[in-house]
Structure formats: C-alpha cells, structure tokens
Amino acid sequence: MRPAPPREPTVVAWVADVPDPRRAPRRKGPDLERLAALRERAAAHGAGEAVLTDADGRLLEGAFTSLLWWEGETLCAVDDDAPILPGITRALLIELARERATPVAQRRPLPQELADRETWLVSALHGIRAVTGWANAGPRAGDPPRAVSWQRLLDELTAGQPA
C-alpha cells in the first residue's frame, strides 16, 4: 500500500497521440500498465493526464479519469455505450445534475470541440479536476466557473461514505 497523492483541483490534459490502446476498456485492471505508460507520456508533455481517443479521434476518457464538459448550461459526458469505464464519480455527477434539473447530454467530441469549454477530468481520488490547459497545441481551455461549487456538492454527497 502507498499513500494517495494529494488531491488536485486542476489538471493539464494531453490528447494521446495513439488511439485507445486498451484491450478491455470496460474493465478496470487488465490495462493498467498501458494506461500508466500513457500517463507517463502525458507527463513528458507537461500534462497530468492522458486523454484517450477512439480510432476516429473522438475523445473517450482519461487514462484514469472520466471526461465531462459543459456546453452552455448542459453537462456533457461521453455516451454510455462508448468503450469507457463506468466511472462512479461520473455517474454521481450526472445524477446530481439531473436532480438539479441541469440538462445532461451524451456524445463523443473531437478535441477541438472542447475549445473554450469548461472541461473536467473526474475520478474517485481527485473528484473534479478542471482542465486548465491542453498540452501540445490542444484546444484552448475554458474557464471553470462551476468546478468549485460542483466539487462541494460532490463532497456533500459522499461525506460519510466509506472510501
């Protein structure tokens, strides 16, 4: 066992330069070495997370995170039938949005479609990390005005829950 790294509210993302290399994308575990290698490559580009793409270049999720973003007042997520992990934090945030009558949409964006949009990479470890930059001339990051208040909502929801 090792201690968890400190929680970080922001992250620089890197769009992986190879299509999703996982062999079992809907199961956590079998591809951890491949994902760790991608995250190391992201770090070499000055990023804290690698974002995976499908063969058409559409975004799927981070190596160890789920991808969410905002289009106006709509919270967006990659569609459930995509080759992504069923992230617990992703599901909680979508549930919170629906409870608050916040519209939710699902699709697979191209990287440039996230230009100037508030974008989050979410996980059970970090909660919401707002994307504050995209490495290697990726899309221009949008301001994250909602991240802090939604992180507070997420913390309230998970307070007292076993880790």
Side-chain angles (χ1 to χ4, degrees), residues 34-102:
R34 284 181 187 84
L35 295 172
L38 275 179
R39 186 179 269 177
E40 285 179 23
R41 289 180 58 204
H45 291 278
E49 180 65 301
V51 179
L52 308 174
T53 62
D54 64 17
D56 296 324
R58 295 192 173 276
L59 300 175
L60 294 169
E61 62 187 343
F64 295 104
T65 56
S66 296
L67 173 68
L68 298 171
W69 69 98
W70 290 87
E71 293 183 7
E73 297 303 314
T74 301
L75 179 64
C76 299
V78 173
D79 45 305
D80 292 333
D81 65 348
I84 60 173
L85 280 173
I88 293 169
T89 304
R90 173 187 179 273
L92 285 173
L93 289 164
I94 290 170
E95 179 183 327
L96 280 171
R98 290 184 172 138
E99 287 174 0
R100 283 158 180 71
T102 299

Side-chain angles (χ1 to χ4, degrees), residues 1-9 39 48 64-65 123-127 129:
M1 297 213 20
R2 63 183 176 89
R7 221 168 155 184
E8 298 175 355
R39 186 179 269 177
F64 295 104
T65 56
S123 68
L125 174 62
H126 290 285
R129 287 193 295 169

